[in-house]
């Protein structure tokens, strides 16, 4: 991984963590699901551009990492606290969310270490954004289902046109 990729990855992860631990009102719409799919797209583009060597062991390691990342996405989706504030549903991170993120990062580091020692380091490095985006997508779907089942009102999305009409 080059320095630019590392810096972009750290910036994206930092932004995601900041947004998840700073409390915010839950808004209607699809905003929470957009970023994961942008990251998945970056992951697919990275994989296509790098053409890393693919081995059976590399595929197996990637499959294990994907399953663990998806499972941790489920855990993170359930780890948000949902409460009412000012009549609207409000979400914020919790200690359980922090623990799940620490495990998610540990899985990524572990996969990289095992991948490097098994000759699959290039494949694991090239799929970093793909795995991260997939995990975020699973988390967003779980959180979205929780919000839908909760029944408390969510803030409507204030569009640009609505603001212009005032």
């Amino acid at each position: 991984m080059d320095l630019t990729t590392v810096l972009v990855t750290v910036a994206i992860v930092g932004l995601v963590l900041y947004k998840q631990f700073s409390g915010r009102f839950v808004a209607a719409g699809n905003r929470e699901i957009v970023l994961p799919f942008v990251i998945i797209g970056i992951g697919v583009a990275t994989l296509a551009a790098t053409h890393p060597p693919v081995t059976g062991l590399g595929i197996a390691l990637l499959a294990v990492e994907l399953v663990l990342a998806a499972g941790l996405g489920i855990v993170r989706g359930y780890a948000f606290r949902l409460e009412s504030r000012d009549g609207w549903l409000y979400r914020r991170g919790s200690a359980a969310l922090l623990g799940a993120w620490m495990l998610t990062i540990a899985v990524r580091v572990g996969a990289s270490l095992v991948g490097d020692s098994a000759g699959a380091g290039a494949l694991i490095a090239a799929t970093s954004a793909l795995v991260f985006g997939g995990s975020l997508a699973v988390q967003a779907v779980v959180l979205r289902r929780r919000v839908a089942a909760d029944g408390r009102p969510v803030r409507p999305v204030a569009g640009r046109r609505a603001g212009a009409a005032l």
Side-chain angles (χ1 to χ4, degrees):
M1 236 189 248
D2 64 344
L3 182 60
T4 303
T5 304
V6 170
L7 291 176
V8 168
T9 302
V10 168
I12 290 172
V13 171
L15 175 66
V16 167
L17 292 176
Y18 171 77
K19 288 177 86 174
Q20 290 189 2
F21 284 98
S22 60
R24 60 185 48 221
F25 288 100
V26 176
N30 297 324
R31 290 186 74 189
E32 297 293 324
I33 201 74
V34 172
L35 181 61
F37 283 102
V38 168
I39 296 171
I40 289 170
I42 292 168
V44 169
T46 302
L47 187 58
T50 58
H51 299 293
V54 177
T55 64
L57 183 59
I59 295 291
L61 180 58
L62 179 59
V64 168
E65 184 185 12
L66 282 167
V67 168
L68 290 173
L72 287 164
I74 291 169
V75 170
R76 291 192 317 268
Y78 280 106
F80 282 94
R81 291 185 191 151
L82 297 177
E83 56 192 52
S84 290
R85 284 200 184 171
D86 301 327
W88 302 107
L89 191 59
Y90 189 82
R91 71 166 175 88
R92 62 188 171 115
S94 65
L97 182 62
L98 178 61
W101 269 113
M102 291 172 64
L103 283 173
T104 301
I105 293 167
V107 165
R108 181 73 222 173
V109 169
S112 294
L113 293 173
V114 172
D116 285 343
S117 67
L123 177 63
I124 298 304
T127 57
S128 159
L130 186 62
V131 172
F132 180 58
S135 183
L136 280 178
V138 169
Q139 171 189 305
V141 168
V142 169
L143 182 57
R144 184 178 218 169
R145 288 179 183 257
R146 285 185 62 210
V147 166
D150 187 276
R152 289 180 276 189
V154 297
R155 278 190 155 169
V157 176
R160 291 182 183 169
R161 292 179 191 248
L166 296 174

